[in-house]
Amino acid sequence: MDPWARLRAATPARIGLGRSGCAQPLQAQLAFQLAHARARDAVHAAVDWDAVAETLPGASVRVRSQAEGRADYLKRPDLGRRLAEGAALDVGNPPDVVLVIADGLSAAAVAASGAAVARAVMGALPELSFGPVVLAEQSRVAIGDEIGHRLGARLVVLLVGERPGLTVADSLGAYVTYAPRVGRRDSERNCVSNIHGQGGLSAEAAARTIAWLVRAALDRGLTGTGLKDASLARGAEAGQLEP
C-alpha cells in the first residue's frame, strides 16, 4: 500500500512522487512539463477581448497601458500601471462602481472567469450604479486607480489574471479600491484571490465576497488593511452589513 496516497488525495501539491532510478517517474515528469507549459502559455497568450465583451451586460470600453507589447509589460511593471496616452474614457455621470478586467499575468484566467465574475458582481449589487466595464490590455492592478479616478467612480473593482502556478494557470484575482486615484498603495486595497474552477472560488462565491467588501467600503469610506472581510460571519448571502 502506498503510504503517500492519502496525503496526495488531500492536496494538489506534488508530494510522494516516487522515483525511477535517480530520477522522477516518467508520468510525474511529463505532468510537471505540461503544467509548466500551461503556465507559460497563460502568461504569454493574448486575451480575446471581443469574446469577453460579447458576454458582458451593457457597454464596455477598451483601453491599454503604456506597455507597447508583452515583452515591455513583463520587463517594465511600471508601464502596466498607467494608461496609454490618449486613452478615451468618457466621464458622463460618475458611477458608484467601475469594473475593470485586466489581462495581468494570465490570459487563461480572464477567458475562463473574467466576464462571469463581472456579471455576478453587477447582479449582486443592484442598488449601485456601474460605469461601462473597462477592458484593459497589458495592464496591472494599479491601472484601476487611474481608470476609476478618470471616471469619477466612488470605488473600483479590478479583475486580473493572477500569476500562474504549476497547479492552476487560470486563477483570477479581484482588487477592491475605495476612492481610486493614482498613487494608491497596495495596503489600501482588498483582494479576493484564487477564483477558478479547480477547487478555487466560483464566480458566484467570489461575487458575494466582493459585494460585501464593496458595501462595507462605501459605508465606512475605506478599503485595505482597515477593512477586514467578515462576509461569512456577517451574512454575505443576504448582502447584510452588521455593525
Side-chain angles (χ1 to χ4, degrees):
M1 180 177 178
D2 182 359
W4 290 94
R6 289 181 61 189
L7 292 174
R8 280 198 300 269
T11 175
R14 290 173 169 80
I15 59 172
L17 298 179
R19 66 180 185 177
S20 178
C22 60
Q24 291 184 9
L26 179 60
Q27 183 176 1
Q29 181 65 19
L30 292 176
F32 178 87
Q33 291 176 349
L34 176 60
H36 188 260
R38 285 173 173 163
R40 287 179 58 86
D41 286 348
V43 170
H44 292 282
V47 174
D48 184 345
W49 294 110
D50 290 336
V52 174
E54 286 176 1
T55 59
L56 290 170
S60 62
V61 177
R62 291 277 298 274
V63 298
R64 61 178 301 117
S65 75
Q66 294 179 4
E68 292 295 330
R70 204 59 178 168
D72 277 349
Y73 174 83
L74 295 173
K75 293 176 183 177
R76 292 281 307 275
D78 57 311
L79 297 179
R81 299 183 183 118
R82 297 299 305 270
L83 283 169
E85 294 291 333
L89 283 173
D90 294 328
V91 177
N93 295 321
D96 293 318
V97 181
V98 165
L99 276 166
V100 180
I101 303 178
D103 44 9
L105 290 169
S106 176
V110 172
S113 306
V117 175
R119 291 194 303 268
V121 169
M122 296 174 79
L125 294 165
E127 75 277 16
L128 298 180
S129 62
F130 284 82
V133 179
V134 179
L135 308 179
E137 186 177 354
Q138 309 292 7
S139 297
R140 296 181 183 269
V141 171
I143 203 168
D145 301 335
E146 186 173 3
I147 292 170
H149 182 73
R150 289 267 299 268
L151 292 173
R154 299 171 65 194
L155 182 145
V156 64
V157 178
L158 182 134
L159 310 175
V160 63
E162 295 182 320
R163 181 181 292 106
L166 293 176
T167 301
V168 177
D170 60 353
S171 182
L172 193 77
Y175 290 81
V176 181
T177 309
Y178 178 77
R181 63 177 182 270
V182 174
R184 279 293 194 194
R185 299 184 299 271
D186 287 341
S187 61
E188 296 175 296
R189 319 182 197 283
N190 288 86
C191 176
V192 180
S193 61
N194 292 309
I195 305 169
H196 58 83
Q198 301 174 63
L201 286 175
S202 67
E204 293 74 21
R208 288 194 292 269
T209 300
I210 294 166
W212 188 93
L213 288 168
V214 168
R215 290 190 178 103
L218 295 176
D219 181 65
R220 301 170 193 178
L222 57 84
T223 46
T225 56
L227 178 61
K228 305 301 181 185
D229 175 18
S231 55
L232 293 179
R234 300 189 177 190
E237 292 285 348
Q240 299 170 356
L241 267 179
E242 297 179 7

